[in-house]
Amino acid sequence: MADIIQLLPDHVANQIAAGEVVQRPASVVKELLENAIDAGADSIKLIIKDAGKTLVQVIDNGKGMSTTDARLSFERHATSKIRTADDLFHLHTKGFRGEALASIAAIAHVELKTKQEHDDVGNTIEMEGSKVVSQEVIVTPKGTSVSVKNLFFNIPARRNFLKSDTVELRHVIDEFHRVSLAHPSISFVLYNNGSENFNLPISNFRQRIVNIFGNKTNEKLVPVEENTEVLKISGFVGKPEFAKKTRGEQYFFVNNRFIKSAYLNHAIASAFDGLLKNGTHPSYFLNLEVDPQTIDINIHPTKTEIKFDDEHTLYALLRSAVKHSLGQFNIAPVLDFDRDPNLDTPYSYKSNTASTPKIEVDRSFNPFQEETNSRARAVAYKKEPATSWESLYVGLESKGNQTKQDFSEVHFESEEQTVSIFEDENEIKQVNTTYQLHNKYIVSTIKSGMLVMDQHRAHQRILYEDFLKNMTIKEATSQQLLFPLQLHFSKQDIDIINQLKDDLEHTGFMFSNISKESIDIIGVPVGVPESEVSIILEQLISDVENEVPDSNFSATDLLAKSMAKSLAIKTGQSLQKDEQEHLVNKLFACKEPNVSPTNRTTFVTMSVDELDKKFI
């Protein structure tokens, strides 16, 4: 039998490695930013076009590379970070595998410009699909500039899997946030399609958070600080009243490296136990410093998941540190079981001075005197009652008569209603046409049998078609607010609201001002409570960032779906009889009553024959 195992060509192996390392433009951004940090740069610029699909460029002022190093940097497993296998457990750098540039060069057009400080000229290398197109000597400033153009140009299938520019840009900004938050001692600048999105100067950790998420974030932060032999914790958690529906502002940094850990996230959630509303998540920005020998970073291609030697200890320390901070800054209620509230001084006696007690002694008292004299003296000191007991009952009879007279003059607001045992046949038909089951389903009778409707999904369908109609004909009714409502968002969230402003106004929202960090709302759609406005907009922003409107769906459709999901009747909400019947009637007046906006079944029917079979 002929041999069937063979070595893969280098360009194929590089493309396979690229599939692990480079999933989208945000992966390129992460790798290039980390390389710039490892190069010792204190100023880094990130330039992207078309959410990174056309161009991702990172410019740093680090130490640069020599001619030989510049060429070797594109080879697989070529790295300056480690020499032996033991070095994997003493890592203090971002990258160490030597796969990033090789993987990126296999699926894009890459141009590298670099120069060391003591050199007069630098070098430039152009790569296309792992092939060196040119290598020349050029004049360039100190540091390194890497330009990645036309990502996935030689793998069309991978390029087709990329999402819309809005979604891909969100992933790029997320990676930018993760790297810039971990290194406040480095200045970062982000340019998107020629406009400056972020300009983060060198600062401390708190100021870096404020520069990214807005000035309003400063008042939301609670410091967390804990030093032990095992773990050093520093950073901030958000106050419970500012918890969000999404998990966007949750950051763990282990030795200045962003990680994801559901186990440690549970520790934070348990520290906030009892302080958060249902369905909300706390914000946190926490730096964890541990011994590099106690963690293993080399378990995931993107290095966002690491393995701890003793997770249980870290869990307990993290939970107690956050809980202590919440109590120390009077965020969480503190119970002192040793304090007796009866010993507290009342407010009315707070300024009064204590009076000296007086002692009076009966100097004439002699226990050895005769009993008759003692008994007589006791009688002398006894106070006679003011009235006898018979006086308590004087006039009781007259009062009783008066009471009877008063009760005879009492008038009832409504007469007592009596229900006849035998009711009209018409009334029997009108009563109990719908029932609510477990505050989730509405049961109604139909000619063929029975109908069971999901109240949340049904209301979603009703609201979705109403919003879509209002946005299409642009005749929505707005409810004016007595006082303008000011809401604060991050800069990228404000950009999304600006994109959807016209559609939001067609649904009934009215804006008086939209600045870089806040918006002023003077009108909301009819039926939308003022307290729900911020929740609706947060949910809308999250849907736009995470859900992609394909070519068949527009931003208007996505907006209508998001608002319908936020405002629909929730599971567990009790409905009156007329509300139940109104919901059933409105659903069957819709164009597509069978499914919700997310293509889920809104109701099911069961015929009498099917019910009969259940009793066979």
Side-chain angles (χ1 to χ4, degrees):
M1 184 176 180
D3 297 333
I4 59 175
I5 296 178
Q6 59 183 0
L7 291 175
L8 289 174
D10 288 341
H11 68 279
V12 177
N14 285 338
Q15 287 191 7
I16 294 174
E20 297 179 351
V21 178
V22 182
Q23 300 171 356
R24 54 186 358 132
S27 305
V28 177
V29 170
K30 174 183 181 294
E31 298 293 346
L32 295 184
L33 289 178
E34 290 181 347
N35 285 345
I37 293 171
D38 287 340
D42 60 7
S43 177
I44 300 175
K45 293 181 180 180
L46 171 61
I47 303 171
I48 60 174
K49 290 183 180 179
D50 300 330
K53 299 176 183 177
T54 303
L55 172 67
V56 175
Q57 183 178 8
V58 174
I59 305 171
D60 67 71
N61 63 348
K63 56 188 176 183
M65 290 182 285
S66 64
T67 304
T68 305
D69 287 345
R71 179 64 189 88
L72 281 176
S73 65
F74 289 99
E75 296 296 328
R76 290 190 67 201
H77 307 307
T79 178
S80 61
K81 315 297 171 57
I82 60 175
R83 292 289 183 269
T84 64
D86 292 338
D87 293 340
L88 290 173
F89 299 97
H90 299 83
L91 289 173
H92 298 278
T93 58
K94 301 292 183 184
F96 55 87
R97 294 177 174 177
E99 290 180 330
L101 285 179
S103 300
I104 295 170
I107 53 174
H109 298 154
V110 180
E111 181 182 11
L112 171 68
K113 297 179 181 179
T114 183
K115 184 179 87 72
Q116 294 179 321
E117 185 174 9
H118 57 270
D119 292 339
D120 296 330
V121 293
N123 293 275
T124 178
I125 298 177
E126 293 184 8
M127 304 278 292
E128 290 184 9
S130 298
K131 297 180 180 179
V132 179
V133 177
S134 65
Q135 182 171 358
E136 299 175 355
V137 176
I138 61 166
V139 176
T140 185
K142 172 206 167 186
T144 304
S145 170
V146 182
S147 301
V148 179
K149 305 175 184 177
N150 305 322
L151 195 64
F152 301 125
F153 78 98
N154 53 354
I155 313 178
R158 291 286 303 278
R159 191 176 181 87
N160 291 335
F161 275 104
L162 294 179
K163 307 298 183 182
S164 66
D165 286 356
T166 303
V167 177
E168 294 299 340
L169 177 61
R170 181 63 193 175
H171 286 288
V172 169
I173 292 177
D174 283 344
E175 291 295 347
F176 181 80
H177 286 173
R178 293 168 182 176
V179 176
S180 58
L181 281 171
H183 300 275
S185 59
I186 302 175
S187 67
F188 291 87
V189 182
L190 170 60
Y191 295 94
N192 176 35
N193 292 334
S195 61
E196 182 181 280
N197 278 32
F198 292 95
N199 191 342
L200 309 176
I202 296 175
S203 60
N204 57 27
F205 188 47
R206 185 175 194 135
Q207 191 60 43
R208 176 57 57 89
I209 296 172
V210 172
N211 288 337
I212 291 177
F213 297 102
N215 295 326
K216 201 70 176 177
T217 312
N218 192 33
E219 64 186 44
K220 305 177 184 178
L221 302 178
V222 179
V224 179
E225 195 77 30
E226 189 69 39
N227 292 327
T228 65
E229 296 181 356
V230 179
L231 175 67
K232 182 179 179 182
I233 305 172
S234 63
F236 304 90
V237 294
K239 294 180 181 179
E241 59 264 31
F242 297 107
K244 294 188 174 183
K245 290 278 187 181
T246 58
R247 299 178 181 268
E249 298 177 1
Q250 295 184 342
Y251 295 89
F252 278 123
F253 302 100
V254 176
N255 296 351
N256 294 331
R257 182 191 300 274
F258 172 81
I259 67 155
K260 297 178 182 177
S261 174
Y263 188 69
L264 296 183
N265 180 72
H266 189 272
I268 303 294
S270 62
F272 277 87
D273 191 22
L275 301 176
L276 300 175
K277 297 179 182 177
N278 290 333
T280 59
H281 308 281
S283 302
Y284 54 80
F285 311 87
L286 296 174
N287 294 304
L288 312 179
E289 292 186 22
V290 298
D291 187 352
Q293 297 184 14
T294 63
I295 58 176
D296 186 3
I297 304 171
N298 194 28
I299 65 169
H300 194 273
T302 60
K303 303 182 285 290
T304 54
E305 297 178 11
I306 64 177
K307 183 179 180 182
F308 298 95
D309 281 355
D310 190 0
E311 282 188 332
H312 298 291
T313 302
L314 300 184
Y315 183 99
L317 290 173
L318 189 59
R319 180 180 180 274
S320 62
V322 174
K323 209 170 185 65
H324 174 70
S325 292
L326 293 175
Q328 182 181 5
F329 292 92
N330 296 325
I331 305 300
V334 179
L335 297 178
D336 187 0
F337 294 100
D338 297 331
R339 183 179 63 83
D340 186 359
N342 296 322
L343 300 178
D344 292 345
T345 304
Y347 291 110
S348 58
Y349 292 92
K350 187 176 181 181
S351 58
N352 294 355
T353 58
S355 59
T356 305
K358 297 180 180 181
I359 302 175
E360 296 181 358
V361 180
D362 184 6
R363 298 183 183 279
S364 62
F365 175 71
N366 187 352
F368 299 103
Q369 289 181 351
E370 295 180 3
E371 185 178 359
T372 55
N373 295 336
S374 175
R375 189 176 291 174
R377 187 179 293 110
V379 172
Y381 281 99
K382 187 175 181 181
K383 187 177 180 181
E384 292 294 332
T387 57
S388 60
W389 65 270
E390 292 90 346
S391 64
L392 298 175
Y393 295 93
V394 175
L396 185 61
E397 184 177 356
S398 61
K399 289 181 180 179
N401 295 335
Q402 182 68 28
T403 305
K404 292 180 181 178
Q405 183 179 0
D406 292 341
F407 273 112
S408 64
E409 296 178 358
V410 174
H411 298 283
F412 292 98
E413 293 183 359
S414 60
E415 296 181 358
E416 182 180 359
Q417 295 181 357
T418 58
V419 180
S420 174
I421 298 177
F422 303 100
E423 294 181 346
D424 294 338
E425 187 176 350
N426 295 332
E427 292 183 358
I428 297 176
K429 290 182 179 179
Q430 294 177 358
V431 176
N432 296 335
T433 56
T434 60
Y435 303 88
Q436 192 175 23
L437 182 64
H438 296 301
N439 289 342
K440 182 177 182 180
Y441 299 105
I442 295 176
V443 182
S444 179
T445 57
I446 54 177
K447 290 183 179 179
S448 61
M450 180 179 64
L451 176 142
V452 182
M453 185 179 73
D454 187 308
Q455 64 184 36
H456 177 63
R457 295 181 185 177
H459 200 212
Q460 274 193 54
R461 164 55 63 178
I462 296 168
L463 292 177
Y464 168 71
E465 293 197 4
D466 286 344
F467 286 135
L468 210 56
K469 178 182 176 182
N470 291 337
M471 285 185 281
T472 303
I473 64 177
K474 302 179 181 180
E475 293 182 359
T477 306
S478 181
Q479 174 182 329
Q480 299 296 308
L481 298 178
L482 185 60
F483 300 102
L485 179 63
Q486 187 177 62
L487 301 176
H488 296 269
F489 294 97
S490 61
K491 188 176 179 181
Q492 58 268 28
D493 291 345
I494 294 290
D495 292 339
I496 293 176
I497 293 176
N498 268 320
Q499 296 174 10
L500 301 174
K501 181 183 175 183
D502 292 340
D503 291 329
L504 284 170
E505 289 177 342
H506 295 155
T507 62
F509 282 98
M510 295 183 66
F511 303 93
S512 62
N513 180 42
I514 298 181
S515 62
K516 292 184 178 179
E517 294 184 356
S518 65
I519 61 173
D520 294 332
I521 300 175
I522 58 175
V524 296
V526 175
V528 176
E530 187 176 338
S531 58
E532 295 285 326
V533 174
S534 61
I535 299 175
I536 292 171
L537 292 180
E538 285 181 9
Q539 184 67 51
L540 173 62
I541 292 168
S542 175
D543 289 342
V544 171
E545 291 172 346
N546 300 320
E547 296 180 15
V548 188
D550 297 329
S551 57
N552 298 330
F553 298 95
S554 62
T556 304
D557 182 82
L558 184 63
L559 175 59
K561 285 181 180 178
S562 180
M563 291 185 60
K565 182 169 60 177
S566 300
L567 295 174
I569 295 170
K570 302 296 186 292
T571 297
Q573 183 173 342
S574 179
L575 301 177
Q576 300 295 330
K577 290 291 182 182
D578 53 347
E579 293 175 329
Q580 299 171 18
E581 293 177 2
H582 178 73
L583 202 62
V584 174
N585 296 333
K586 287 283 287 183
L587 176 65
F588 288 100
C590 294
K591 293 181 179 179
E592 295 184 15
N594 296 325
V595 292
S596 69
T598 54
N599 291 325
R600 295 187 176 183
T601 304
T602 56
F603 67 89
V604 294
T605 58
M606 184 173 291
S607 64
V608 177
D609 293 338
E610 291 175 339
L611 286 173
D612 290 340
K613 292 179 182 178
K614 301 290 183 182
F615 293 94
I616 294 177

